[in-house]
Amino acid sequence: GSAIMEQERLMEEGRSDEQPHIEDQKTWCDRCIVCLGPRYVIHLTDFERDAVWHMRRHVVNNPKPDDADLQKQVLLLWNTAFPDQKLEMFEKGQRWKKLGFQGTDPSTDVRTGSWPLEQLVALATHHPIEFRRMVQEASDPSSFYLFAISCFNVSHMLVLFFDLHTFASVSPIGKVARASKRQLRNLARLVVRECQANDVDVSANICKLVLNEVFMELLGVVHRDWMLLSQAGAKTSLIDFPKALRKGYDVNSSFWERPCDSLGDLKMS
């Protein structure tokens, strides 16, 4: 029954079963239900499991977009960041480094599928003022960091923390713990509550909405921490940037220890 279904799901996702998904793991609380009582045992409801499944199956693991779509997306990023230097057509060039890409062709930096770029585009679309400010601050020599690349790292760090990838990957801050079942449940619960508030079934659109707002909050934490590090007087370089990413990881991990009732309550700083 359920064991066979889980095996089929792992095969479909291209995973081996050496480490079950967070929602399927047995914690010590689960094993001590007799002595602790049911209120200490953390289970995801069917709706919450459906939310996790949607995030994993329909949101974060889509392949890299084709060239035309990718170029359209990076043009939107450029035109939002630099409205007085608008481009009509995509061209390779040094300009893309101003957005924090590593080279002259942004497509070479899109390596883990479409989701990190999709999150960056959502940030530019829904929070253009904050996006523009962060791009400007990240390109200032006194607080320089690779903005686009760092956004991709924040997105990737989030996906790995919540165990949403269907392929093996390494966090940009190295070997760190993934979410507990409680933390994953609190994220899934927020997705379900947003679906209920919008009177819709669990959908990829609501999953994206929630994950994009989580990304925006976490990026804000990382960006502010780097600004503080850069202005603290001590000489900093890009070698120090993982400290800001680690700060983001810790703040995100602490935040999800407790339920979050709505997107309006999603404040990490």
Side-chain angles (χ1 to χ4, degrees):
S2 61
I4 293 170
M5 283 175 63
E6 176 59 15
Q7 203 168 10
E8 287 174 350
R9 183 168 68 146
L10 288 165
M11 285 175 65
E12 179 189 347
E13 293 177 358
R15 290 167 60 110
S16 64
D17 57 359
E18 78 281 356
Q19 188 180 31
H21 283 304
I22 292 169
E23 67 271 25
D24 299 319
Q25 275 187 322
K26 290 273 190 286
T27 66
W28 68 271
C29 289
D30 297 328
R31 297 186 180 99
C32 296
I33 187 168
V34 175
C35 48
L36 290 172
R39 76 188 183 94
Y40 288 97
V41 179
I42 299 162
H43 289 304
L44 277 71
T45 66
D46 287 345
F47 288 117
E48 289 162 353
R49 291 179 76 93
D50 195 28
V52 174
W53 177 237
H54 264 79
M55 287 186 278
R56 206 177 274 138
R57 195 73 189 87
H58 298 297
V59 177
V60 306
N61 290 294
N62 292 329
K64 180 176 176 175
D66 62 34
D67 286 349
D69 193 25
L70 193 150
Q71 290 170 9
K72 182 179 169 185
Q73 291 182 67
V74 297
L75 269 178
L76 183 150
L77 294 176
W78 176 271
N79 290 337
T80 304
F82 306 109
D84 55 339
Q85 303 172 43
K86 282 201 169 176
L87 297 174
E88 298 298 327
M89 282 180 56
F90 173 84
E91 291 176 4
K92 295 178 185 179
Q94 295 295 324
R95 65 167 60 89
W96 297 108
K97 294 181 181 181
K98 287 178 68 176
L99 267 176
F101 289 102
Q102 289 186 105
T104 58
D105 181 1
S107 69
T108 59
D109 290 326
V110 180
R111 299 186 185 122
T112 57
S114 65
W115 181 237
L117 179 59
E118 207 175 314
Q119 288 214 286
L120 187 50
V121 168
L123 171 65
T125 304
H126 300 297
H127 303 280
I129 295 168
E130 292 94 331
F131 173 76
R132 208 169 293 131
R133 175 181 58 79
M134 285 193 277
V135 168
Q136 289 168 353
E137 291 175 350
S139 59
D140 187 303
S142 67
S143 53
F144 174 78
Y145 70 95
L146 292 166
F147 180 72
I149 295 296
S150 300
C151 288
F152 293 168
N153 282 335
V154 168
S155 177
H156 194 55
M157 185 169 72
L158 262 177
V159 165
L160 290 176
F161 178 72
F162 287 115
D163 183 31
L164 299 177
H165 261 323
T166 54
F167 53 86
S169 192
V170 178
S171 173
I173 54 172
K175 194 167 175 59
V176 288
R178 63 183 189 173
S180 66
K181 197 183 286 190
R182 181 190 306 280
Q183 290 166 319
L184 179 65
R185 184 185 179 182
N186 286 335
L187 173 69
R189 176 180 177 273
L190 177 58
V191 172
V192 171
R193 286 179 72 90
E194 286 301 313
C195 291
Q196 291 167 342
N198 288 278
D199 198 25
V200 294
D201 292 332
V202 173
S203 69
N205 284 341
I206 298 289
C207 291
K208 287 180 181 182
L209 175 69
V210 170
L211 286 173
N212 284 335
E213 289 303 307
V214 175
F215 167 74
M216 169 71 188
E217 280 296 308
L218 183 51
L219 178 62
V221 171
V222 172
H223 181 85
R224 279 188 295 275
D225 194 65
W226 180 248
M227 290 297 112
L228 289 171
L229 279 172
S230 301
Q231 294 155 14
K235 188 170 173 59
T236 53
S237 70
L238 286 181
I239 295 169
D240 300 303
F241 196 79
K243 294 176 184 174
L245 285 174
R246 179 69 206 214
K247 171 74 172 184
Y249 170 89
D250 291 339
V251 169
N252 178 67
S253 182
S254 297
F255 180 84
W256 294 106
E257 288 292 344
R258 297 169 298 282
C260 177
D261 288 337
S262 71
L263 287 180
D265 296 328
L266 184 54
K267 305 291 179 209
M268 292 191 186
S269 56

